[in-house]
């Protein structure tokens, strides 16, 4: 059944939009009262979208939702662009997105003076390297790029932390004694910001400025999140499943493999999602303070030399990495847990 | 016929912060091989506790509970059909049915073959590869029953298996249970709070008192088999359910008083 739309209401909303913006523009109110303009426009926009949304037939609902979800950030960028160009936002601190896009292109195609590599390495050398060194040469070209360096730190640290985290979390979940002994300590260390132990971790490695301490701190942050969530996951398994498994003759190993591990998996994955997000935060923070490469280094470097559009480009790359990593983990989750 | 289950002077005391709670006292029960026994009682009378002791999921405080093993070696003594189904959400329907066999180390091909046969018998052949969240409550309980039967235990223990289902689904499953039991003639201990269900399914109905659980009366159900849902309109059926209700009524009142 199609809902009736009142054209008068729709016209009223549209007329208000036009009228309000006309007044704002001709009375030159934007410069000093831009916040009013943004607020009223946002409210009218929500009213418009909401009203049209009620009218969308059920089978187009998903497409409409998609348009809204993608349309809003685009609108946000457009508003930013306009405001920066008209000096409502100071373009020195908030350069328009178009300039950030150009900066992103430059970061991808030109080397910076400090690290002598670009975001993705030096792809323009690919043909030449391929001829002289073959595939290994090409791989090496990518491996020197800032994005790859950051990804590698996140990934290796995450894996090195998550696997022992699952192991310890399982032990804590299944054994009361171990849980009682470790719980207080774990909870105390858990709340400590892991970046704070970076200096001491540096001292534990033969090369304090190498990859070791950076990866170790990422691993430590991931470890606690995964361990605590794994423990919760094990403890939250409905006891009736354990009783059923016992009643049907499962021994200890079978109980673990067929009930406790799959039963705890959803919460383990929730922990890994948190851990992955935290790993990214930690590695960017570390690259801010002590690194010669990486997206975090790049971002902070361009902040220090006041090239803000390149700094923003770095921030967008970090955002992009976060989205990609979360998406990858989601795919893995669906792969491993088809019953959800 | 030979006795299959012997319970003598069973006592179960729970140690709680409020002091000791007696769940079962002086509880006696003997079930013969191939007999279908239903236990009825007000909620909290300890009927589920007894089943759990029988299943080995809990220990009795005192007394003796024995399931006498059959001639076939290696056959599991008992399997439980739980009220909350307890089928594993992370396993497909067929893997759930084959679970007991897998635990006993039966090779994959053979156990899947047995599981498939049982799925056909409970009418779920088409749903072998589904996950539990994709099927209804009534189908889940069918899977749970098939899982128990595929494991072929000496004794089948059912703890209010139809308690969580709506009236129509429950009626369908009652008939299915009657049909399957007719074919297998397993020894069954069946817990329920429905007198009608107990009289419809059982050879004997065992009535328990409210706290603490003591055997109050035993009724033989002499209604001939095979039974169907139509059995419920017979005079014998109605007389027997009424007679049990007369006795149970007081216990229900007592249980409500105690809970107040």
């Amino acid at each position: 059944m199609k809902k009736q739309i009142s054209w008068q209401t729709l016209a009223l909303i549209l007329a208000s939009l036009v009228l309000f913006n006309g007044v704002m523009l001709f009375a030159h109110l934007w410069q000093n009262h831009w916040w009013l303009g943004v607020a009223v426009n946002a409210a009218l926009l929500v009213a418009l979208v909401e009203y049209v949304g009620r009218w969308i037939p059920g089978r187009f609902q998903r497409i409409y939702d998609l348009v809204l979800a993608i349309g809003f950030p685009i609108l946000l960028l457009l508003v930013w662009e306009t405001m920066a160009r008209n000096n409502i936002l100071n373009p020195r601190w908030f350069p328009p997105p178009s300039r950030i896009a150009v900066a992103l292109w430059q970061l991808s195609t030109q080397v910076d003076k400090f690290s002598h590599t670009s975001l993705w390495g030096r792809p323009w050398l690919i043909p030449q390297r391929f001829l002289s060194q073959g595939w290994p040469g090409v791989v090496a070209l990518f491996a020197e790029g800032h994005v790859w360096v950051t990804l590698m730190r996140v990934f290796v640290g995450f894996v090195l932390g998550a696997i022992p985290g699952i192991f310890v979390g399982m032990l804590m979940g299944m054994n009361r004694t171990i849980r009682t002994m470790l719980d207080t300590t774990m909870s105390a260390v858990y709340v400590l910001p892991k970046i704070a132990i970076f200096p001491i971790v540096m001292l534990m490695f033969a090369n304090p400025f190498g990859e070791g301490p950076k990866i170790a701190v990422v691993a430590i942050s991931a470890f606690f999140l995964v361990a605590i969530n794994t423990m919760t996951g094990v403890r939250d398994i409905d006891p009736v499943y354990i009783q059923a498994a016992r009643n049907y003759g499962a021994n200890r190993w079978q109980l673990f493999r067929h009930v406790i591990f799959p039963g705890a998996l959803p919460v383990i994955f929730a922990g890994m999602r948190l851990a992955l997000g935290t790993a990214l935060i930690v590695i960017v923070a570390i690259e801010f303070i002590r690194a010669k490469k990486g997206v975090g280094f790049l971002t902070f470097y361009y902040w220090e030399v006041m090239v803000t559009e390149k700094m923003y480009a770095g921030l967008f790359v970090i955002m992009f990495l976060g989205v990609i990593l979360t998406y990858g983990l989601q795919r893995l989750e669906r792969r491993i847990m088809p019953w959800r | 016929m030979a006795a299959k289950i012997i319970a003598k002077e069973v006592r179960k005391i729970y140690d709680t912060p409020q002091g000791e709670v007696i769940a079962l006292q002086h509880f006696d029960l003997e079930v013969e091989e191939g007999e279908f026994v239903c236990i009825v009682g007000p909620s909290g009378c300890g009927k589920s506790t007894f089943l759990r002791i029988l299943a080995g999921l809990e220990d009795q405080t005192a007394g003796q509970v024995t399931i006498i093993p059959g001639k076939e070696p290696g056959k599991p003594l008992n399997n439980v059909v739980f009220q909350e189904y307890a089928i594993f959400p992370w396993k497909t329907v067929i893997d759930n049915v084959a679970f007991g066999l897998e635990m006993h180390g039966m090779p994959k091909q053979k156990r899947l073959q047995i599981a498939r046969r049982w799925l056909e018998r409970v009418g779920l052949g088409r749903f072998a590869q589904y996950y539990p969240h994709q099927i209804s409550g009534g189908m889940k309980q069918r899977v749970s029953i098939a899982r128990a039967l595929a494991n072929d235990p000496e004794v089948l223990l059912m703890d209010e298996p139809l308690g969580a289902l709506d009236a129509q689904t429950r009626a369908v499953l009652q008939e299915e249970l009657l049909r399957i039991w007719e074919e297998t003639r397993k020894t069954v201990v069946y817990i329920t709070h429905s007198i009608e269900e107990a009289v419809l399914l059982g050879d004997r109905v065992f009535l328990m008192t409210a706290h603490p659980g003591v055997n109050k009366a035993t009724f033989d159900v002499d209604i001939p088999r095979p039974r169907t849902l139509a059995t419920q309109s017979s005079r014998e059926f109605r007389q027997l359910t009424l007679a049990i209700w007369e006795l149970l009524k007081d216990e229900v009142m007592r249980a409500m008083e105690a809970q107040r």
Side-chain angles (χ1 to χ4, degrees):
Chain A
M1 202 188 76
K2 207 168 140 186
K3 280 164 243 160
Q4 278 301 312
I5 187 164
S6 136
W7 292 103
Q8 286 96 320
T9 315
L10 192 62
L12 190 71
I13 297 173
L14 284 172
S16 320
L17 259 175
V18 173
L19 198 68
F20 175 74
N21 283 298
V23 170
M24 285 289 283
L25 209 59
F26 285 110
H28 301 285
L29 289 171
W30 270 108
Q31 195 65 46
N32 293 319
H33 301 283
W34 59 271
W35 48 271
L36 181 71
V38 170
V40 173
N41 268 318
L44 284 172
L45 185 74
V46 169
L48 179 71
V49 167
E50 164 90 27
Y51 198 74
V52 174
R54 273 188 234 164
W55 184 43
I56 298 281
R59 64 205 149 99
F60 294 123
Q61 189 63 49
R62 289 186 60 167
I63 300 173
Y64 188 66
D65 287 352
L66 200 68
V67 169
L68 291 189
I70 295 173
F72 184 71
I74 292 178
L75 182 74
L76 217 55
L77 289 178
L78 284 177
V79 171
W80 179 358
E81 179 83 31
T82 328
M83 286 172 75
R85 285 196 180 191
N86 293 300
N87 274 322
I88 296 167
L89 283 174
N90 185 341
R92 174 179 278 270
W93 310 123
F94 304 99
S98 55
R99 264 171 55 199
I100 296 173
V102 172
L104 193 59
W105 174 252
Q106 288 169 347
L107 281 181
S108 307
T109 53
Q110 295 165 15
V111 298
D112 61 275
K113 284 179 198 135
F114 223 88
S115 61
H116 304 290
T117 181
S118 85
L119 270 176
W120 321 94
R122 287 171 290 175
W124 53 91
L125 293 180
I126 286 176
Q128 183 187 333
R129 279 287 176 94
F130 183 68
L131 290 177
S132 62
Q133 294 168 18
W135 284 113
V138 177
V139 171
L141 268 180
F142 277 103
E144 62 173 29
H146 294 286
V147 168
W148 177 254
V149 168
T150 300
L151 265 183
M152 197 274 297
R153 286 169 184 157
V154 168
F155 187 73
V156 175
F158 175 73
V159 170
L160 285 182
I163 290 174
I166 291 174
F167 186 73
V168 172
M170 283 282 170
L171 285 180
M172 287 176 74
M174 290 190 291
N175 185 301
R176 211 186 102 84
T177 313
I178 297 179
R179 179 166 65 245
T180 318
M181 283 170 71
L182 288 183
D183 208 9
T184 325
T185 320
M186 291 277 281
S187 309
V189 183
Y190 168 72
V191 293
L192 182 77
K194 301 305 170 300
I195 187 78
I197 58 171
F198 181 60
I200 195 71
V201 172
M202 281 175 71
L203 288 183
M204 294 178 198
F205 282 81
N207 175 9
F209 307 109
E211 294 298 301
K214 300 181 181 73
I215 289 170
V217 173
V218 172
I220 291 167
S221 341
F223 170 81
F224 284 98
L225 279 164
V226 173
I228 285 180
N229 275 281
T230 304
M231 178 187 77
T232 313
V234 172
R235 302 209 63 200
D236 281 354
I237 296 171
D238 191 334
V240 79
Y241 293 129
I242 292 162
Q243 289 167 5
R246 287 244 167 83
N247 184 252
Y248 282 82
N251 59 32
R252 288 182 78 115
W253 163 245
Q254 286 171 323
L255 185 69
F256 175 78
R257 193 176 105 71
H258 291 278
V259 180
I260 292 176
F261 187 70
L265 255 188
V267 190
I268 295 179
F269 263 101
M272 293 210 290
R273 266 200 305 273
L274 286 174
L276 202 56
T278 310
L280 200 61
I281 294 172
V282 167
I283 202 59
V284 168
I286 289 175
E287 286 176 352
F288 267 26
I289 55 175
R290 176 121 5 251
K292 294 265 176 339
K293 267 187 191 174
V295 185
F297 156 78
L298 209 63
T299 307
F300 200 71
Y301 170 74
Y302 284 114
W303 164 247
E304 286 181 313
V305 297
M306 283 293 165
V307 186
T308 42
E309 55 263 44
K310 285 193 177 168
M311 180 198 78
Y312 277 102
L315 290 181
F316 275 110
V317 172
I318 293 169
M319 250 157 67
F320 176 71
L321 287 184
V323 170
I324 290 284
L325 286 172
T326 314
Y327 178 75
L329 196 67
Q330 254 171 22
R331 286 292 295 265
L332 186 72
E333 201 172 328
R334 251 177 255 156
R335 196 66 192 261
I336 294 183
M337 300 192 294
W339 64 84
R340 300 280 291 171
Chain B
M1 273 226 234
K4 193 74 194 164
I5 300 170
I6 301 170
K8 268 208 178 83
E9 279 292 307
V10 182
R11 209 172 135 78
K12 176 72 188 181
I13 296 173
Y14 286 107
D15 197 10
T16 69
Q18 286 79 40
E20 292 188 339
V21 176
I22 306 172
L24 282 173
Q25 205 167 24
H26 306 303
F27 189 87
D28 294 313
L29 176 70
E30 237 185 76
V31 181
E32 284 179 358
E33 181 146 19
E35 197 181 15
F36 198 127
V37 168
C38 293
I39 302 179
V40 185
S43 35
C45 72
K47 52 191 194 293
S48 285
T49 305
F50 173 67
L51 192 100
R52 295 168 62 79
I53 293 171
L54 202 51
L57 297 173
E58 274 179 53
D59 288 326
Q60 67 269 37
T61 314
Q64 177 210 353
V65 178
T66 327
I67 298 174
I68 292 148
K71 291 181 192 78
E72 288 175 61
K75 201 169 161 179
L77 278 185
N78 74 79
N79 282 130
V80 183
V81 176
F82 295 87
Q83 177 178 7
E84 53 279 66
Y85 321 138
I87 57 172
F88 306 114
W90 47 85
K91 285 182 179 290
T92 56
V93 163
I94 191 157
D95 281 341
N96 263 294
V97 175
F99 181 75
L101 304 172
E102 187 177 2
M103 294 305 105
H104 292 105
M106 185 183 282
K108 189 167 185 177
Q109 200 120 56
K110 199 172 166 202
R111 68 171 188 254
L112 288 184
Q113 195 187 340
I114 294 174
R116 193 170 298 278
R117 206 162 56 227
W118 276 106
L119 276 180
E120 300 287 349
R121 283 176 84 168
V122 297
L124 290 179
R126 285 198 306 119
F127 298 94
Q129 297 307 327
Y130 281 53
Y131 282 101
H133 78 96
Q134 295 168 306
I135 61 178
S136 69
M139 289 156 90
K140 281 181 199 159
Q141 195 53 293
R142 280 200 188 102
V143 173
S144 178
I145 292 167
R147 173 174 70 179
L149 290 169
N151 210 27
D152 195 21
E154 296 278 344
V155 175
L156 190 59
L157 305 177
M158 307 183 87
D159 187 5
E160 297 194 33
L162 310 184
L165 301 175
D166 64 86
Q168 284 83 18
T169 313
R170 174 191 268 253
V172 170
L173 275 174
Q174 282 170 347
E175 268 203 319
E176 234 161 80
L177 272 177
L178 279 171
R179 178 176 56 79
I180 291 170
W181 186 78
E182 213 67 61
E183 292 164 8
T184 57
R185 290 276 169 174
K186 270 210 181 304
T187 314
V188 180
V189 176
Y190 192 103
I191 307 282
T192 177
H193 54 245
S194 155
I195 301 171
E196 284 78 12
E197 191 168 283
V199 174
L200 177 68
L201 298 174
D203 294 322
R204 232 167 5 127
V205 177
F206 201 82
L207 182 62
M208 283 175 75
T209 61
H211 254 79
V214 182
N215 178 17
K216 181 155 182 168
T218 311
F219 298 84
D220 288 316
V221 185
D222 290 325
I223 303 170
R225 293 182 187 269
R227 299 177 197 158
T228 63
L229 286 186
T231 307
Q232 288 175 317
S233 54
S234 75
R235 235 187 63 186
E236 295 158 283
F237 181 90
R238 277 177 292 144
Q239 273 174 350
L240 190 52
T241 46
L242 199 63
I244 298 175
W245 173 240
E246 286 298 329
L247 275 178
L248 180 61
K249 203 162 61 181
D250 305 339
E251 296 305 326
V252 175
M253 297 302 253
R254 263 183 58 201
M256 280 163 65
E257 295 276 315
Q259 273 168 11
R260 205 180 44 190

